[in-house]
Each structure stands twice: as structure tokens, then as C-alpha cells.
Amino acid sequence: MTIVEVVLLSAADGALRFRTVSDRLPAGVHPDDLALHLSGLTLCTPGATLHSTSWRFASESVVLTYAALPDPTPTTTAPLSPDRMVTGRAALAPSPPDVDTDAVAAHAARHLALLTVTDPVVAAAASAQPDLWDLLTKLPTGLAGALR
């Protein structure tokens, strides 16, 4: 089974916040389409961004994770811990045994921070949400594992 998970990012009181939504991917549906639906974003949302950031195996399923912003309904959100990360146990065992939501959200946010300097489409979208993107661009833009 494949699960599509969306990390929705928002800003409140000068800090990044997040919440996640997920659902099973129905047969014949593209993961991008389900992620867009789950995000609640539309073409009319200024600066709307949806980007695939990672995948993992969990509970007999493959979980495809997307980052999305701005969160259209940032009600029940948690503070983002930008330095949170998990790693595999060995060079030939790359998947961490457990991946918590905080680590997934931090990875997604750092991924978007990197895209602001490497992807002109994301950089253009960022200009429409400066309060949120200003917080994101303060995150380290190193590749996975470069934070240690």
C-alpha cells in the first residue's frame, strides 16, 4: 500500500509551524494529485508550493511525503524543530528504524529552504509568501546528513 503524506507549513509569532495530513493512494491516482487535494491549496493561493520531499517504509506501506505551503487552515499545528533528524544504523542499512513526524517536517522544511536557491520556480513562489519563506530561508540548506 502507498500512503501520501503532506507536511503543511505555516508561520505564527515569528516561528515555523506544521501539521500533517495523509491518506491511502487509490489505484490510478497520481500521488501529486492526492497531495494537492490533501493540502487544500489551489492555483489561486498566492505562493502556493507543493513539492515531493522524501519517502519511507512504515507499517507495511511506502509513505510518500510532500511539503506544502502556505497551510490554508493552520489550526492544530506544532512548532517545527529545524534541527531534528534521524539517520540509518549502518552504511548498508540506510533507513532509520523509526522516523518521527518532527524529523519528517524538519527534513521537508530544509528541503524547501534548499530549493529557494536551486529552483527558480520555487524561488518565484517564495516571493508571494515572504513572511513564511523568510523563516524557511534561515534554515540550513545542506543536503541530508550535512547538519551533523
Side-chain angles (χ1 to χ4, degrees):
M1 174 173 28
T2 303
I3 303 293
V4 172
E5 168 184 68
V6 180
V7 175
L8 290 144
L9 297 165
S10 59
D13 301 321
L16 287 169
R17 300 192 60 84
F18 78 96
R19 68 182 174 98
T20 60
V21 293
S22 62
D23 202 357
R24 184 184 62 77
L25 182 66
V29 174
H30 194 286
D32 292 358
D33 294 335
L34 179 55
L36 182 60
H37 172 74
L38 290 171
S39 75
L41 297 171
T42 70
L43 295 174
C44 297
T45 308
T49 302
L50 178 69
H51 189 81
S52 174
T53 61
S54 63
W55 71 272
R56 68 186 182 279
F57 185 74
S59 301
E60 303 299 318
S61 299
V62 172
V63 180
L64 304 176
T65 302
Y66 288 76
L69 61 86
D71 185 345
T73 54
T75 48
T76 310
T77 61
L80 185 89
S81 302
D83 296 332
R84 179 75 181 108
M85 69 183 290
V86 294
T87 59
R89 290 180 273 187
L92 294 179
S95 296
D98 294 303
V99 181
D100 59 71
T101 305
D102 289 341
V104 171
H107 176 85
R110 291 189 306 264
H111 192 129
L112 289 180
L114 176 63
L115 291 177
T116 62
V117 295
T118 62
D119 185 328
V121 172
V122 172
S127 67
Q129 289 287 333
D131 293 342
L132 182 51
W133 282 95
D134 285 350
L135 293 170
L136 280 165
T137 58
K138 292 177 183 173
L139 299 179
T141 59
L143 300 176
L147 297 178
R148 294 203 190 275

